[in-house]
Amino acid sequence: MGHLDHAAYGWLTPVLSYVMASIGAALGLRCTVRALAATGASRRNWLLTAASAIGTGIWTMHFVAMLGFEVNGTEIHYNVPLTILSLLVAVLVVGAGVFAVGYGKARGRSLVLGGLTTGLGVASMHYLGMAALRLHGEVSYDPLTVALSVVIAVIAATAALWAALNIKSPVAVAVASLVMGAAVSSMHYTGMTAVAVGVTPSDAALPGATAMQFIFPLAVGLGSYLFITAAFVALSPTADERAASASAARHLGEHTVTAH
């Protein structure tokens, strides 16, 4: 068995991956709160943004953490199509869960369905990402630890959606996002403890791309997307702010008419 190092760069990758998960969660929760206060196309657009933010944040967290993953005795490459598929699965399945909450009539049932769907999406993204690994040897998993990681993913997703339905203040959303980031990171590292690698030394070239050739540039690009979208959401007025602005404009107009 090859020795596995989950933090080859020390605390850098675990801390950075946690930050990315928390940013994605904060943005997704904020967008979901905005969606629940909106109607029509506006609600749909906010939910789409929430799904892309949470899915992108979770994917970026996973692969930033994987930048610190090393196995003694073999290089590690990544299958590009499978890695891209894991990103699409994250966004699409998380989207299904978010829309279940955003449009569900019965809150309790919508929360359970949305949490289960989103949690399974997070777990699917993780294990699809692991299936993209290419190395000299065989990767195996402990089934009980895998099952535990899936349970953690479902609980974390359900808690995040509950927060979106019940927490409105920015401070409370920030706290919920930090908790969600910790839960998603816990799911990742629990899943990684399930991994064992039987190394078969070889000089043959591995297929796929190295982490620095492919994962790092993509993670930087998606991280930039999260920061830009976060700035857009922060600067976009809420429904209450728009209503207050319209009311102030109306009062100003009435005052101007009275003065004349």
Side-chain angles (χ1 to χ4, degrees):
M1 290 291 175
H3 172 71
L4 309 184
D5 188 347
H6 297 288
Y9 300 103
W11 283 99
L12 177 62
T13 50
V15 169
L16 187 55
S17 65
Y18 169 70
V19 169
M20 298 311 298
S22 297
I23 290 172
L27 186 52
L29 292 180
R30 201 76 191 120
C31 290
T32 305
V33 169
R34 296 286 189 92
L36 294 173
T39 56
S42 181
R43 172 173 289 199
R44 181 201 63 211
N45 292 340
W46 279 118
L47 290 173
L48 287 172
T49 306
S52 66
I54 297 173
T56 298
I58 291 169
W59 187 95
T60 306
M61 171 255 136
H62 171 80
F63 281 100
V64 166
M66 291 303 291
L67 290 174
F69 179 66
E70 292 184 354
V71 181
N72 283 0
T74 178
E75 286 185 292
I76 296 175
H77 285 198
Y78 293 85
N79 177 281
V80 173
L82 265 182
T83 304
I84 296 296
L85 179 61
S86 71
L87 172 60
L88 295 178
V89 165
V91 173
L92 291 175
V93 184
V94 167
V98 168
F99 270 78
V101 167
Y103 284 102
K105 301 299 182 186
R107 276 203 167 189
R109 187 170 61 188
S110 298
L111 182 60
V112 171
L113 177 62
L116 182 62
T117 303
T118 304
L120 291 176
V122 172
S124 298
M125 179 282 303
H126 176 89
Y127 289 106
L128 262 177
M130 293 302 294
L133 287 178
R134 296 294 179 265
L135 45 74
H136 295 302
E138 293 291 330
V139 179
S140 59
Y141 296 90
D142 175 65
L144 287 178
T145 311
V146 168
L148 176 60
S149 71
V150 175
V151 170
I152 292 172
V154 171
I155 292 173
T158 304
L161 293 176
W162 177 89
L165 286 171
N166 295 282
I167 294 175
K168 305 303 179 187
S169 77
V171 173
V173 168
V175 172
S177 303
L178 294 176
V179 174
M180 176 64 175
V184 172
S185 297
S186 298
M187 178 271 159
H188 171 83
Y189 286 105
T190 299
M192 293 308 293
T193 62
V195 177
V197 179
V199 175
T200 306
S202 172
D203 293 327
L206 286 168
T210 67
M212 288 301 172
Q213 286 173 337
F214 174 57
I215 301 299
F216 180 72
L218 189 54
V220 169
L222 292 175
S224 300
Y225 161 77
L226 286 176
F227 280 107
I228 292 169
T229 308
F232 167 77
V233 172
L235 294 172
S236 177
T238 64
D240 290 341
E241 289 169 344
R242 285 196 301 272
S245 177
S247 177
R250 197 162 50 246
H251 283 124
L252 180 60
E254 291 170 356
H255 178 74
T256 303
V257 170
T258 303
H260 282 294

